[in-house]
Amino acid sequence: MNTTVRRTAMAAATAVTALSLAACGSAETDDKGGQSNKGPLNIGLLLPEKETARYEKFDRPLIEKRIKELAPDATVTYLNAEQDATEQKRQVNQLITERVDAIILGAVDTWTISSSVRRANDEGIPVVAFDRLAEGPIDGYVSFDNEEVGRVQGKALLQALGSKADDGRIVMMNGAITDPNAQLFKKGAHSVLDGKVEIGKEYDTKEWKPENAYENMEGAASAIGADRIIGVYSANDGMAGGVIDALKAVGFSKLPPVTGQDAELAAVQRIVAGEQFMSVYKPYGPEAAAAAEMAVALAKGEKLDSIAKSEVESPTKSGIPAVLVPVVSLTKDNIEETVVRDGVYTVEEICTPKYKSACKALGLK
């Protein structure tokens, strides 16, 4: 699924424009022709799953915190679909019935949820697509430049391979086919890898699950020959963990470079230990803040001109106001300058007894 991005110039420091939004007061007409809420706002927050650590550990608390900063009396109604697209449709319908003022939606399946987005639109409830560009009449979109994520991963893998890029094959472990971001990561990675290294096997990994990546990796080793695998493009850290376990199981003592994404704690520790080459660090704070700011503004009937500095196009709507947050390649060389400096993890959390010596070798203390 392709998403065409038309961006105005946007520096990383201004990826998110902070708003000074007053607490909700008297009623006013919104841009859908309805009335904004007279009392405290109720914002619905729907996240797609718990398999990836980021949603519960970072996104939910950061979004809730920013909403409370913008509208101290606001209520946040939080629901997690746990990777069930049908359940998420039910959750959207529940929020519509409860007459929430806006919905932040991290879609499980971006196409399946489109009918629920249309129903919310018909009821005058704006929807902000979070992290994944849901189809339907979306009012705003917040994510990262997802093709750039794939390019960053591909460049890192080529860097790690060096002259070995001509000596074997890589395996591509893409994300779930139902996730449009996964298709964008794949597109970005292919734009860098194609013609530079031979791709021996490629998978769209069901539900992003590590156990499915493990099974795929075992199959790739059998089909290609373990001795011919020189690297693995893994679209995220959870799958990277499954890939690395599979590589060990099929006899790799010295692991080939493996990519990842999300800077999960276990992945950072694998990077410290030399088992995983890199991850993509995506600053969750700016993304969460932008989603909260969009939702509160829309709930109050305000436009997004001062928040969104980009536009995106989905298969069902063009000109969607968007915030696209820059990403960083995370390797053993910049752990302290990224996830530690930004307060994502402390050195103590990373450098548990198992990783003490590796941390000391990297100067993490």
Side-chain angles (χ1 to χ4, degrees):
M1 183 181 302
N2 293 328
T3 300
T4 303
V5 179
R6 303 188 300 279
R7 288 183 286 175
T8 60
M10 177 179 66
T14 59
V16 176
T17 303
L19 296 180
S20 297
L21 295 176
C24 187
S26 60
E28 56 183 303
T29 302
D30 64 24
D31 59 6
K32 294 178 183 291
Q35 294 292 315
S36 62
N37 193 291
K38 272 190 173 184
L41 298 179
N42 186 356
I43 308 294
L45 173 58
L46 302 182
L47 294 180
E49 42 106 342
K50 297 179 180 177
E51 192 74 36
T52 305
R54 59 164 291 190
Y55 291 115
E56 294 292 323
K57 182 175 176 60
F58 300 114
D59 296 312
R60 177 188 177 182
L62 288 169
I63 290 170
E64 290 178 339
K65 179 175 182 286
R66 185 60 178 144
I67 289 172
K68 289 291 188 178
E69 289 172 349
L70 297 168
D73 294 331
T75 297
V76 179
T77 301
Y78 172 67
L79 300 166
N80 191 301
E82 299 194 40
Q83 205 63 266
D84 187 330
T86 301
E87 171 63 12
Q88 190 167 70
K89 286 173 69 69
R90 188 199 66 75
Q91 291 173 349
V92 174
N93 291 337
Q94 174 186 329
L95 294 180
I96 293 170
T97 300
E98 293 177 5
R99 299 301 306 169
V100 297
D101 300 292
I103 296 171
I104 299 171
L105 171 64
V108 174
D109 185 316
T110 58
W111 177 81
T112 299
I113 203 66
S114 61
S115 60
S116 298
V117 174
R118 284 194 297 273
R119 184 183 169 201
N121 180 263
D122 291 343
E123 295 291 333
I125 300 173
V127 178
V128 176
F130 178 73
D131 206 58
R132 303 173 180 179
L133 185 52
E135 296 186 27
I138 292 295
D139 295 275
Y141 173 56
V142 180
S143 189
F144 300 92
D145 185 337
N146 293 310
E147 286 189 33
E148 178 63 13
V149 170
R151 288 191 289 269
V152 165
Q153 292 169 318
K155 289 173 184 176
L157 183 55
L158 288 179
Q159 176 190 350
L161 292 174
S163 60
K164 293 182 180 178
D166 297 327
D167 297 337
R169 300 177 181 180
I170 67 166
V171 175
M172 289 193 72
M173 202 69 63
N174 304 308
I177 199 166
T178 55
D179 182 348
N181 287 358
Q183 309 315 307
L184 294 171
F185 303 147
K186 177 165 64 172
K187 181 180 177 183
H190 272 290
S191 74
V192 172
L193 297 171
D194 289 354
K196 302 288 180 58
V197 65
E198 186 175 353
I199 299 168
K201 292 288 287 184
E202 182 169 8
Y203 301 90
D204 292 314
T205 307
K206 186 178 180 182
E207 296 180 343
W208 290 93
K209 288 189 174 181
E211 57 266 36
N212 294 335
Y214 182 103
E215 184 178 340
N216 290 342
M217 193 66 231
E218 279 192 323
S222 177
I224 300 171
D227 59 335
R228 300 193 67 190
I229 295 174
I230 57 172
V232 181
Y233 166 85
S234 172
N236 82 347
D237 290 335
M239 295 194 307
V243 164
I244 289 167
D245 287 345
L247 289 170
K248 291 177 180 178
V250 300
F252 277 85
S253 54
K254 180 175 174 54
L255 292 167
V258 179
T259 69
Q261 176 185 187
D262 292 328
E264 293 186 357
L265 178 57
V268 175
Q269 291 173 324
R270 289 194 297 266
I271 291 170
V272 166
E275 293 186 333
Q276 183 171 325
F277 179 67
M278 65 84 70
S279 183
V280 176
Y281 172 48
K282 303 189 297 188
Y284 299 123
E287 187 191 27
E293 289 162 10
M294 279 189 173
V296 171
L298 290 167
K300 296 177 69 176
E302 299 175 356
K303 296 188 180 297
L304 302 180
D305 298 351
S306 63
I307 305 171
K309 302 302 181 183
S310 306
E311 287 185 348
V312 299
E313 182 177 301
S314 79
T316 54
K317 186 176 179 180
S318 60
I320 302 169
V323 171
L324 300 174
V325 182
V327 301
V328 179
S329 178
L330 175 68
T331 68
K332 64 182 181 180
D333 298 323
N334 64 350
I335 291 171
E336 196 157 19
E337 292 77 29
T338 52
V339 293
V340 174
R341 183 194 64 193
D342 290 354
V344 178
Y345 309 116
T346 65
V347 171
E348 289 72 24
E349 286 176 309
I350 298 168
C351 301
T352 57
K354 179 179 178 180
Y355 300 101
K356 278 285 186 187
S357 61
C359 282
K360 185 177 179 180
L362 293 178
L364 281 176
K365 54 187 179 179

